[in-house]
Amino acid sequence: MKTETTAGMNRTGMDMSPIDAKEVVAGATVMPPSSAGDESAIANLLAHYARRDERVGTMPPPGTLKGAVKAAVQALKGEAPLVLLDKLGERLAFERAGSRLWKGVLAKLDALGSFEGGPTREEVERIYQDEAAHFLLVATMIRRLGADPTAETPLADVHGVASCGLIQVVTDPRTNLADALEAMLVAELTDNDAWDVLIELVQGLGDAQIVAQFQEARAAEARHLSLVRAWVKASVLARAHGDGRSMGMPAS
Ligand SMILES: [Fe+2]
Ligand SMILES: [Fe+2]
């Protein structure tokens, strides 16, 4: 049975053709870069555009906040209400993406089976349920603050773009369960950090119930992280020990 660590027809390395490799090295010394300068030109260009007064997005005008909310967010000073809503928008986007990603993992597990030390169907299903519940919790919170959970905030946009690669890994037909879990480790690390900041922000609201609900979500993320870490480790070790079946590979 083949696993992705089986030696195959990978021709990406220069060592595949030592004769051509010599020519490539010689060519690199003969042909100078096509344009003058170094990487500072790239940095200067990035800096030039970064200095323009243009953001990846804006927040909906604060005037849309309802009266009830105003009372709640009055506890927060200055820009804090908008920062909180931006951060909540980000969490909403990421938890939604996270629940879909875990559904994708579940599909791989159903198709390929799990591996020694890997997740059970129930464990993955439970994480999916957690993420979906987090999504609803954040949406409810945004509504409670009188804001619109359907608005894409700047940070929601940033995180949406950042998680594109994770979605590509999980949905790629050539990746197996272990590959998908590598991507989910990135997602869960982000989940954990983001809830930490959010909890600090909502503490300013002076609402113990919200803080408690967010801390519960944070605790769930800590559980997800330790599980995914263990699964990733098990998958790598199993592969190192030559157990091809351990990768959730299709039987063939
Ligand atoms: Fe979550
Ligand atoms: Fe999570």
Side-chain angles (χ1 to χ4, degrees):
M1 183 179 304
K2 271 188 156 186
T3 74
E4 69 277 28
T5 40
T6 306
M9 293 303 287
N10 184 335
R11 296 174 190 273
T12 54
M14 223 165 57
D15 288 356
M16 285 298 293
S17 178
I19 299 171
D20 293 320
K22 272 183 209 145
E23 267 186 51
V24 169
V25 173
T29 56
V30 173
M31 305 226 337
S34 57
S35 53
D38 54 22
E39 68 275 10
S40 64
I42 298 169
N44 287 341
L45 191 67
L46 277 173
H48 169 75
Y49 283 110
R51 277 188 218 105
R52 293 186 351 173
D53 193 18
E54 194 179 347
R55 282 284 292 138
V56 75
T58 58
M59 290 297 292
T64 56
L65 293 180
K66 291 173 196 155
V69 175
K70 285 197 178 144
V73 293
Q74 250 163 17
L76 303 174
K77 304 266 183 292
E79 296 292 306
L82 281 187
V83 174
L84 173 60
L85 289 172
D86 191 8
K87 207 66 194 158
L88 284 169
E90 167 211 307
R91 206 77 300 269
L92 190 71
F94 208 82
E95 295 292 341
R96 180 180 50 225
S99 59
R100 286 175 182 162
L101 282 168
W102 278 113
K103 270 285 185 201
V105 172
L106 205 54
K108 296 245 172 196
L109 192 148
D110 284 343
L112 307 172
S114 190
F115 51 86
E116 178 96 38
T120 64
R121 191 178 201 286
E122 292 67 34
E123 284 171 322
V124 174
E125 176 72 32
R126 169 83 201 276
I127 299 181
Y128 160 72
Q129 299 286 356
D130 283 346
E131 308 298 17
H134 294 164
F135 168 71
L136 289 176
L137 171 66
V138 176
T140 307
M141 177 68 187
I142 293 172
R143 271 281 178 238
R144 254 178 85 179
L145 292 176
D148 180 0
T150 66
E152 171 125 345
T153 71
L155 280 174
D157 198 345
V158 167
H159 277 256
V161 173
S163 56
C164 280
L166 307 181
I167 295 165
Q168 285 179 331
V169 169
V170 171
T171 58
D172 192 312
R174 298 162 304 172
T175 59
N176 61 24
L177 177 63
D179 296 325
L181 290 171
E182 296 276 352
M184 295 318 293
L185 182 56
V186 177
E188 292 298 341
L189 283 163
T190 305
D191 266 351
N192 275 259
D193 273 27
W195 279 105
D196 279 343
V197 177
L198 209 45
I199 288 167
E200 269 200 46
L201 277 173
V202 294
Q203 265 159 355
L205 290 173
D207 186 324
Q209 197 202 347
I210 293 170
V211 174
Q213 283 179 314
F214 280 23
Q215 277 171 339
E216 206 179 302
R218 173 67 178 80
E221 301 299 3
R223 282 197 303 275
H224 301 170
L225 184 55
S226 66
L227 283 169
V228 178
R229 270 188 179 141
W231 296 333
V232 166
K233 191 175 172 185
S235 79
V236 175
L237 292 180
R239 215 174 337 152
H241 297 143
D243 182 1
R245 289 163 304 164
S246 66
M247 293 304 90
M249 294 294 291
S252 60

